[in-house]
Amino acid sequence: MSAEMKARRVRKAVLPVAGLGTRVLPATKAIPKEMLPVFDRPAIQYVVDEALAAGIEHFIFVTGRNKNAIEDYFDRAYELEDTLRQKNKTALLAELDSFALPPGATSFVRQQAPLGLGHAVWCARDIVGDEPFAVLLPDMLTMAAPGCPKSCLEQMMEHYGYVGGNLIAVEPTDAPWNYGVIAPESHEGRRIKMAGMVEKPPKGTEPSNLFITGRYILQPEIFALLESQGKGAGGEIQLTDSMVRLMQTQDFHAVAYDGRSYDCGDKIGYLNAVAAFSLANPEHREAAAQTLSAALEKARR
Ligand code: G1P
């Protein structure tokens, strides 16, 4: 089969946003963790931007109770826009407009019970249909390395164009037992052929230090496997466990992408993201750098 045939176009992305954000309470008691601001915009905006840059056209949010703010955020805010218009705040209006997604480009489906990531992705099966799709976990923000013009998902799409099949992004970590971890078999540049993967391996048994960073390109056959998937690590239905089963019949590669991720589901990871994304903001990076270093200097005195 040619690479073109294997790599059918990826148009849809699933964004599981039903999680409770318990690691960042109390901040997430009344606000979805995906809506926490990372410098000047909600965390979820960076994830949507990453997906848009990679050619994604339709966003499927798997939501839960208390997540209405996400749906509102991706809708028009008529009263706000009207007020801005009356006050001639045209630049602000244009900025708001630049974040708007086209009509019909979003779908929302509820995961009624927190049964795990695998179950959340399965909840999107009817909207995804019979085509390859991306999954982006929105509490992980990724940033391309300085000088690298392509986002994590864009880099994955490039590899997908060559090998098709299923791909996951990976990155080294000091604490692999907290994540899904891959067993690499062989490397071809940044692309890794995998021997296996495991979700939250017990400390000391990790097959490598390469963890799954929450960016996936998957074939639709994963849904049938998710449907029959039993509980795994943490008593949850794990996406990783179904990917292990899919690996028996389909190609799977990992991409050690050029960049790094920030875990916003964790308090220090979140702080790290705020610092990194403010320092990467073209308009505010100078002032952000001065503010951050002045704050550190003061704290050290
Ligand atoms: C999920 C995945 C895990 C991945 C992680 C990245 O775990 O199951 O494989 O490494 O996201 O954030 P969770 O964070 O939901 O426990």
Side-chain angles (χ1 to χ4, degrees), residues 23 117 137 140 179-180 199-200 211-214 216 238 240:
R23 287 185 293 152
L117 177 60
L137 306 189
M140 278 292 189
Y179 301 98
E199 184 66 22
K200 311 218 169 61
F211 83 102
I212 303 170
T213 59
Y216 311 75
Q238 296 290 354
T240 305

Side-chain angles (χ1 to χ4, degrees), residues 129-246:
D130 188 26
E131 55 181 286
F133 63 104
V135 177
L136 297 100
L137 306 189
D139 47 12
M140 278 292 189
L141 299 188
T142 68
M143 191 186 281
C148 173
K150 292 195 168 148
S151 71
C152 175
L153 191 63
E154 274 180 288
Q155 294 178 41
M156 291 172 72
M157 290 289 193
E158 209 169 277
H159 290 280
Y160 179 71
Y162 292 117
V163 292
N166 301 269
L167 287 118
I168 51 179
V170 295
E171 187 182 326
T173 174
D174 294 338
W177 54 87
N178 284 332
Y179 301 98
V181 183
I182 68 153
E185 191 179 286
S186 56
H187 293 246
E188 197 186 339
R190 292 187 171 274
R191 196 163 61 232
I192 303 169
K193 184 119 190 76
M194 289 159 58
M197 62 187 127
V198 55
E199 184 66 22
K200 311 218 169 61
K203 228 173 173 172
T205 70
E206 309 86 4
S208 75
N209 68 341
L210 293 172
F211 83 102
I212 303 170
T213 59
R215 300 292 182 270
Y216 311 75
I217 295 174
L218 296 171
Q219 298 300 318
E221 287 74 22
I222 191 84
F223 289 122
L225 299 171
L226 287 170
E227 185 151 8
S228 61
Q229 186 62 55
K231 288 178 182 168
E236 297 190 342
I237 298 172
Q238 296 290 354
L239 179 60
T240 305
D241 293 343
S242 286
M243 293 197 299
V244 168
R245 290 163 67 207
L246 189 57

Side-chain angles (χ1 to χ4, degrees), residues 80-98:
L80 172 65
E81 288 175 20
D82 198 47
T83 309
L84 293 177
R85 214 166 283 119
Q86 281 173 28
K87 295 190 169 178
N88 278 325
K89 306 247 182 201
T90 40
L92 254 183
L93 264 172
E95 194 183 348
L96 269 189
D97 211 47
S98 72

